[in-house]
Amino acid sequence: MKNVLAPRDQDCNAGVDGKVIPVDIAAAKAEAVAKPICEFEALELTVAAGRVLAKDQLAGLDLPPFDNSAMDGYAVSTNSFAGTGPWPLSVVGRIAAGASASQQTVEAGVAFRIFTGAQVPPGCDAVLMQEHVERVDSGKIMVSRRPRSGENIRRHGEDVSSGTAILRQGEVLTPQRMALLAAQGVAEIEVWRRVRIGLISTGSELREPGEPLGTGQIYNSNRIMVRAMLSPLPWVEIVDFGIIPDRREALVAAFSKATRSCDVLLTTGGVSAGEEDHVVAALDHHGGKLDVLKVAMRPGKPVKIGVIGDMLFAGLPGNPNAALVTLRQIALPAIRAVGGLNATKPSWQAAVAGFAYDKRLGRTEYVPVRSVGTDEQNRPILEMLGRGSSASLSAMANADGIALLPPDLAAIAPGTPLRFEALHV
């Protein structure tokens, strides 16, 4: 089954002539070339958690479907409370959740024992809390306070009206949204199919954890990190092509496999301009087009974004912090767009610096930070960890998140307003 896609702006040339472009432009261009998948599948609601809605959902039922009691108590008519109290009422019936109350007869001076969620009898327009009622005997109660009409009653349709849109295409099925669908009686839901993301780690020096290291070799930390960031997403499917050595023909062959099976290809390493960096050459071999070459950011300046046919390509730097930052800030928003999600942007919150740091004017920097308290506006006060090295792992491993140091500042002082992103996808 297919859905019609809106045309995309393909005039994306900034950043491909060697000029360094700002982070926000690079991220926007990555989303612009991301082609959303158009295939969807029908799933049982019970197994659709975390998936992405393929179409708008309209309410088929009013919620609540009938007037019902918001608590245990006594259903009454406010017409029974003329004059001054207290007012004696006769308890003439008992209504539990799931029972029909439509046949009950309501007269002045009577009450019905009612329980939370039970249907309110026609003619009753208030529910007295049982704590506010004095029981005289098994058949009578005494009421000292006149209730108002509508008190403790959930009105028919006050939450949702039949025919209104309750969820939108592109929303992720959270537990709360699934509960809303279940309350509508939805048993099966149409969601976009999973985004197939190919992973390639480049580098002849890389070995997987558990393998012995030779001279000049290091363990492949990026593969573990990127998989750990993407695998928990229910709308993602990982296709891991492993480590590819620094040989052009090997990368060309791996890219060929990816183009046949993936919606997105993520590579780590091999995106700089050195003689052993063959990622761009492999992309060129397959007729790929780069839309972003260099970004005014630290870490992550050499990140590459483009396409091979309909497949989104993101070439992440090989240094771990640079790979993490460019994935979160540039590649992941574009991947969300491929998956059909409405919400694609990183989630930032206001914070303040608890540190001093000098940086280059005109460059956006991302640094690992830890929250060490809050200010008078309840904003996190951030402590910087490490010095922002793109190859440092320990600082990021101990960080609560990353702070964005804006390009228009050359110095950060304690109390400087910043933006903070928690380290979760």
Side-chain angles (χ1 to χ4, degrees), residues 162-399:
S162 178
T164 60
I166 53 173
L167 295 176
R168 295 295 185 184
Q169 175 184 303
E171 291 185 320
V172 173
L173 284 174
T174 62
Q176 304 93 303
R177 289 168 178 163
M178 294 174 71
L180 177 57
L181 292 172
Q184 287 287 316
V186 175
E188 188 176 82
I189 194 74
E190 290 179 344
V191 297
W192 296 121
R193 69 159 174 81
R194 289 187 172 95
V195 178
R196 292 188 286 268
I197 303 178
L199 301 183
I200 291 178
S201 302
T202 72
S204 299
E205 78 282 10
L206 297 178
R207 291 294 179 270
E208 295 295 0
E211 297 178 350
L213 287 180
T215 302
Q217 295 178 339
I218 61 173
Y219 286 120
N220 184 9
S221 59
N222 281 337
R223 173 176 173 268
I224 298 298
M225 178 179 68
V226 172
R227 283 191 66 108
M229 290 175 66
L230 297 176
S231 294
L233 300 175
W235 49 272
V236 161
E237 176 185 342
I238 300 295
V239 183
D240 197 333
F241 296 100
I243 298 172
I244 306 299
D246 291 318
R247 298 197 306 272
R248 176 174 174 172
E249 66 276 11
L251 276 171
V252 167
F255 275 41
S256 180
K257 293 179 182 178
T259 58
R260 294 194 296 268
S261 60
C262 298
D263 306 298
V264 179
L265 176 60
L266 284 181
T267 66
T268 54
V271 292
S272 296
E275 294 179 4
E276 296 298 317
D277 297 320
H278 302 294
V279 168
V280 174
L283 183 135
D284 288 341
H285 178 88
H286 289 282
K289 174 178 177 282
L290 280 176
D291 293 86
V292 174
L293 272 174
K294 298 178 182 178
V295 183
M297 65 189 299
R298 179 177 188 262
K301 178 181 177 180
V303 62
K304 306 291 189 291
I305 301 293
V307 292
I308 304 176
D310 290 338
M311 182 179 70
L312 176 70
F313 169 77
L316 309 181
N319 285 321
N321 281 359
L324 181 145
V325 168
T326 52
L327 175 55
R328 295 181 68 90
Q329 304 306 315
I330 298 177
L332 190 54
I335 293 171
R336 293 188 182 112
V338 173
L341 279 73
N342 289 339
T344 60
K345 303 295 188 293
S347 179
W348 295 98
Q349 67 180 95
V352 295
F355 59 91
Y357 178 70
D358 293 331
K359 59 177 287 292
R360 182 185 300 173
L361 194 65
R363 182 174 67 184
T364 303
E365 294 197 22
Y366 299 88
V367 296
V369 292
R370 179 168 51 204
S371 177
V372 292
T374 57
D375 68 357
E376 63 280 359
Q377 299 178 43
N378 205 34
R379 295 175 299 182
I381 299 172
L382 305 178
E383 173 190 34
M384 182 175 170
L385 304 178
R387 299 305 298 173
S389 168
S390 60
S392 173
L393 281 168
S394 60
M396 198 66 80
N398 290 294

Side-chain angles (χ1 to χ4, degrees), residues 87-155:
W87 298 270
L89 300 177
S90 299
V91 180
V92 297
R94 182 179 186 276
I95 308 168
S100 173
S102 59
Q103 303 302 315
Q104 301 287 355
T105 301
V106 178
E107 300 174 351
V110 304
F112 294 86
R113 181 70 168 120
I114 196 168
F115 297 89
T116 304
Q119 184 179 22
V120 176
C124 290
D125 62 345
V127 171
L128 304 171
M129 292 179 63
Q130 60 187 20
E131 295 89 342
H132 296 165
V133 168
E134 180 186 354
R135 295 188 63 177
V136 178
D137 55 44
S138 60
K140 280 194 178 297
I141 58 173
M142 191 69 70
V143 182
S144 300
R145 181 184 65 83
R146 179 185 288 107
R148 55 180 173 77
S149 181
E151 186 173 328
N152 299 322
I153 292 178
R154 306 185 187 111
R155 289 298 189 189

